[in-house]
Amino acid sequence: MKYWLMKSEPDVFSIDDLKTKKKTSWDGVRNYQARNFMRDEMKLGDLVLYYHSNCEEPGVYGIGKVIKEAYPDHTQFDSKSEYYDPKAKKDEPRWFMVDVGFVEKFKVPVTLNQMKSEKALSDMLVLRKGNRLSITPVEKKHFEKVQGLGN
DNA sequence: GCCAACGTTGGC
DNA sequence: GCCAACGTTGGC
C-alpha cells in the first residue's frame, strides 16, 4: 500500500465537500507526472493526505482513500468542459482519474507552516520550494506523522 | 495582486 | 534537440 498527497482548492472541492458527498472523481488533472502517478501507481486502498491549496490557510485537512483505480477522465472529450483536450482520442485517452473516498477530517488542520517547522517532515516533496505538482507520493512515516498532528 | 518556479509549446 | 515565450500554480 502506498501513501499520497493530493491538492485541491477548497473553493472548488474541500474536505467538507468530500465528507458530504462521500467520494469524488479526481478529474481535471492535466499534468503528465501527476497523471502517471494515478495511472500507474495508485492502487485501491491507498491513503491520501487531502491538501487545501490556494487558500487562506494551506495545509492538510484530512484523509481520503483510493476507491477506484485509474480510468479515462471523460472531461477530456467534452468540448464544453474547461478540461477539454482536443488532442485526446477516445481509443487512446490521454488523461486519467481515480475515485477518492472520504476517510476522516482532521480535528485540527495541519498547516503548511506547521509542516515546515516539523523536522520530521522536512523532506516531504510538497514542502520543496516551487513544487507545483498536485499529486505527490508520501512516505509512510510522513503520512503517520501528519495524521498524528491532525488528530 | 505579485511573482517565483515550473511545465508546455512551437519556431528554428 | 534547443530554448525563448508563454501559461499556470500556489504561497504570500
Side-chain angles (χ1 to χ4, degrees):
Chain A
M1 165 157 101
K2 291 200 168 88
Y3 300 89
W4 304 93
L5 180 143
M6 296 174 92
K7 292 181 189 172
S8 182
E9 299 189 17
D11 292 346
V12 179
F13 201 87
S14 70
I15 187 74
D16 291 317
D17 294 325
L18 185 62
K19 185 175 184 180
T20 305
K21 303 224 169 117
K22 306 281 195 287
K23 61 171 186 166
T24 187
S25 298
W26 213 271
D27 63 10
V29 171
R30 295 293 179 267
N31 169 285
Y32 288 104
Q33 244 184 305
R35 178 205 66 182
N36 292 347
F37 283 137
M38 286 201 290
R39 189 190 58 187
D40 306 334
E41 297 196 46
M42 289 184 101
K43 297 296 174 201
L44 214 57
D46 282 2
L47 292 172
V48 175
L49 295 175
Y50 198 99
Y51 182 94
H52 284 184
S53 66
N54 246 318
C55 57
E56 220 160 276
E57 193 72 85
V60 177
Y61 280 70
I63 289 176
K65 108 182 136 178
V66 177
I67 55 172
K68 183 173 178 179
E69 291 179 12
Y71 59 108
D73 177 346
H74 56 84
T75 62
Q76 70 193 299
F77 306 121
D78 178 1
S79 58
K80 292 185 202 70
S81 168
E82 61 175 313
Y83 300 124
Y84 177 58
D85 182 350
K87 291 180 188 157
K89 299 195 186 76
K90 270 257 158 79
D91 54 347
E92 206 183 325
R94 183 185 281 211
W95 305 111
F96 292 81
M97 61 189 182
V98 298
D99 286 357
V100 173
F102 177 78
V103 174
E104 67 177 17
K105 180 184 176 181
F106 285 165
K107 293 195 180 68
V108 222
V110 182
T111 66
L112 181 60
N113 273 333
Q114 192 181 357
M115 292 168 75
K116 282 177 177 166
S117 71
E118 288 284 342
K119 272 242 166 62
L121 300 176
S122 59
D123 48 344
M124 279 186 78
L125 286 174
V126 72
L127 301 181
R128 290 223 185 124
K129 192 178 178 185
N131 171 49
R132 292 169 28 193
L133 201 53
S134 62
I135 302 176
T136 51
V138 170
E139 288 177 43
K140 183 170 194 236
K141 62 177 180 186
H142 292 151
F143 182 92
E144 286 169 351
K145 177 70 180 175
V146 172
Q147 187 175 29
L149 291 170
N151 286 324

